[in-house]
Amino acid sequence: MSRLPQWLGGLGSGLVRLGERLEARKATAEAQPAAGSTPGAASGAVATPVPAPAESAATPVPLSAASPSAPGAAPAGPAGPASGPVPDPATGSGAGAVPPSVPVDRAAPGARPDPVAAVPWGVRVAAEVGWRLLVLAGTLWVLMRVISAVRLVVLAFVAGLLITALLQPTVALLKRRGVPRGLATALTFLSGFVVMGLVGWFVVWQVTENLDDLSKQVQHGITELKRWLLNSPFHVTQGQINNIADKLSEAIGTSTKDITSAGIEGVQVIIEVLTGILLAMFSTLFLLYDGPRIWQWLLKLVPEAAREGVAGAGPRAWATLTAYVRGTVIVALIDAIFIGIGLYFLKVPMYVPLAVFIFLFAFIPLVGAVVSGALAVVVALVTRDVFTAAMVLVVVLAVQQIEGHVLQPFILGRAVRVHPLAVVLAVAAGSMTAGIGGAVVAVPLVAVTNTVVGYLRAYAKEETPPEVSS
């Protein structure tokens, strides 16, 4: 019985300690930092909330509510130990103030990658280039369709532009001599078209005057050609020659309807040619008189950001076109004179009209020289003999070689020099689009485009800041 009071005293003290622990756990549970408050330090202490900074979106780290040295302090919660003592809200005592919260950066959960970043870089580059090429191809196709629909107007204007490039230096020379602009334009325009009209009339007159004599010489030349073939080492028989002649007669007989329809269509062609000539004349007249003002008006249609570059490219393009036209005229004139002299000494009939044809066909690069030279050789073959035709061929080839390797590089210069592959492709595309007129216009168009693109590229490099260009 003497041990019963001791046992009861120990049980009572144990119950007291158990109650204190339950109260401490209850206080700790109420002081959890779920709402941003600091846990209590002593029994029954109220947690002091620490608000997060307004400018930071990160979750603040809560601070402990009591000093770790205080007796009876509760264990630290999940937020971790405090960085300094917090004053007791009940007594107002404590050492130190609450330091500011420290934001913690966290990545946004569940974020998906950008789809553009998933596409390979090469595919993106190909796509960017591809749709731009499609836009350019579509624009070019629409432009070609429009040009084909108004082909006569476009060719007439381009012909007037080429004639203006040829006659404009004369107008400038007369203006420098004190002649008024209107009078200088009228004199140059009339003299230029009078000279071209006289040249055309002379060619037609020479052909009509020598047509009868030419037909007799053609028949004699065909007879001589048959005799030469029979005696040649090619072993051609009379039956083979007669067979070829019969087939030619049959082809001409079956093509009579086509020839008749072509003759009917020829009237329409003549009307179109006359209309084109009138349009070219009016275009030349107004370009000679109002060329600078027309150019200033065209510049107003260009966006202001690109106007300065286009204004600088225009005079260079015109200088290239002028140099091309004058150089081509000089080269064609030299070809016609020297080949005409060769035809005269070889006693080929109609050497003057043939020389004029050589001059006109020289404006068609590559193709014109071949066609005019072949025409001269055929005329020499059917009117003279095989030896004369061979000598004409030698003269034509010699003059054309001198033209290609000496005259064109010296007269035309580097400003209008175009690669032969570009010339061939341009002539082919121009002839397919607009016939002979397109073949004539193709090469100067390529030369002008080359000059403009080169200037704009250099202009862009000079105007672009270094940080952008790099």
Side-chain angles (χ1 to χ4, degrees):
M1 294 298 291
S2 60
R3 295 183 179 179
L4 180 60
Q6 297 179 357
W7 181 81
L8 290 176
L11 178 61
S13 61
L15 291 175
V16 172
R17 286 195 297 271
L18 178 61
E20 291 178 355
R21 292 182 180 179
L22 290 176
E23 290 180 0
R25 289 184 180 181
K26 184 178 178 181
T28 304
E30 291 178 355
Q32 290 295 327
S37 60
T38 54
S43 61
V46 181
T48 303
V50 181
E55 67 277 7
S56 175
T59 304
V61 179
L63 303 176
S64 178
S67 174
S69 61
S83 59
V86 179
D88 191 351
T91 61
S93 60
V98 180
S101 303
V102 181
V104 177
D105 294 332
R106 296 181 180 178
R112 296 182 179 180
D114 189 6
V116 178
V119 180
W121 181 80
V123 176
R124 281 183 285 171
V125 172
E128 293 288 336
V129 175
W131 74 260
R132 286 174 171 84
L133 290 179
L134 287 177
V135 171
L136 291 177
T139 305
L140 184 61
W141 183 81
V142 172
L143 183 62
M144 297 302 294
R145 296 289 294 179
V146 172
I147 291 176
S148 299
V150 291
R151 180 174 57 185
L152 178 62
V153 178
V154 173
L155 289 179
F157 177 75
V158 173
L161 197 63
L162 295 177
I163 297 173
T164 303
L166 180 63
L167 300 180
Q168 193 269 337
T170 305
V171 176
L173 178 62
L174 292 177
K175 288 173 62 178
R176 287 195 299 269
R177 296 294 178 87
V179 181
R181 182 177 62 179
L183 182 59
T185 301
L187 291 176
T188 306
F189 174 79
L190 292 176
S191 60
F193 277 94
V194 165
V195 170
M196 288 185 285
L198 289 176
V199 171
W201 171 81
F202 180 75
V203 172
V204 174
W205 174 66
Q206 285 290 318
V207 172
T208 54
E209 284 291 326
N210 296 287
L211 189 59
D212 295 335
D213 188 22
L214 180 63
S215 61
K216 294 179 182 179
Q217 291 182 351
V218 168
Q219 292 177 358
H220 177 71
I222 292 174
T223 303
E224 292 294 330
L225 181 61
K226 287 181 179 179
R227 185 180 304 171
W228 181 81
L229 289 174
L230 290 174
N231 298 325
S232 67
F234 298 107
H235 303 290
V236 180
T237 62
Q238 183 67 36
Q240 292 175 344
I241 295 176
N242 294 333
N243 188 18
I244 294 174
D246 293 339
K247 288 183 178 180
L248 289 175
S249 301
E250 183 180 356
I252 294 174
T254 55
S255 302
T256 304
K257 295 182 180 180
D258 296 335
I259 294 173
T260 304
S261 61
I264 295 174
E265 293 177 356
V267 178
Q268 183 179 359
V269 172
I270 291 175
I271 295 175
E272 290 182 355
V273 169
L274 292 177
T275 305
I277 291 174
L278 290 176
L279 288 175
M281 292 175 65
F282 278 108
S283 300
T284 303
L285 178 62
F286 287 109
L287 288 173
L288 285 174
Y289 184 75
D290 276 340
R293 285 192 288 184
I294 294 174
W295 172 244
Q296 294 297 328
W297 178 80
L298 289 176
L299 282 179
K300 295 179 181 178
L301 302 179
V302 180
E304 188 175 357
R307 191 172 299 169
E308 184 178 356
V310 176
R316 289 166 176 79
W318 181 251
T320 299
L321 183 62
T322 304
Y324 175 82
V325 173
R326 285 189 291 181
T328 304
V329 168
I330 295 174
V331 171
L333 187 62
I334 293 175
D335 287 351
I337 290 175
F338 282 96
I339 294 178
I341 292 174
L343 296 177
Y344 171 76
F345 282 107
L346 293 173
K347 297 181 180 180
V348 178
M350 293 197 310
Y351 57 89
V352 176
L354 287 176
V356 175
F357 276 116
I358 290 170
F359 173 79
L360 296 177
F361 277 95
F363 286 91
I364 306 176
L366 300 179
V367 180
V370 174
V371 173
S372 60
L375 180 62
V377 172
V378 169
V379 171
L381 180 63
V382 297
T383 57
R384 298 290 295 170
D385 50 21
V386 177
F387 176 76
T388 304
M391 294 303 298
V392 170
L393 180 61
V394 170
V395 171
V396 170
L397 291 178
V399 172
Q400 289 180 355
Q401 289 297 316
I402 295 174
E403 169 203 337
H405 293 87
V406 178
L407 296 179
Q408 285 189 354
F410 179 73
I411 296 176
L412 295 180
R414 296 181 178 272
V416 294
R417 185 174 298 177
V418 182
H419 196 275
L421 179 60
V423 172
V424 172
L425 295 178
V427 171
S431 60
M432 292 175 61
T433 304
I436 297 177
V440 174
V441 173
V443 177
L445 179 62
V446 171
V448 170
T449 304
N450 184 30
T451 301
V452 171
V453 171
Y455 171 78
L456 292 179
R457 185 186 297 115
Y459 175 81
K461 290 181 179 179
E462 292 177 359
E463 292 294 324
T464 304
E467 61 272 13
V468 178
S469 62
S470 60

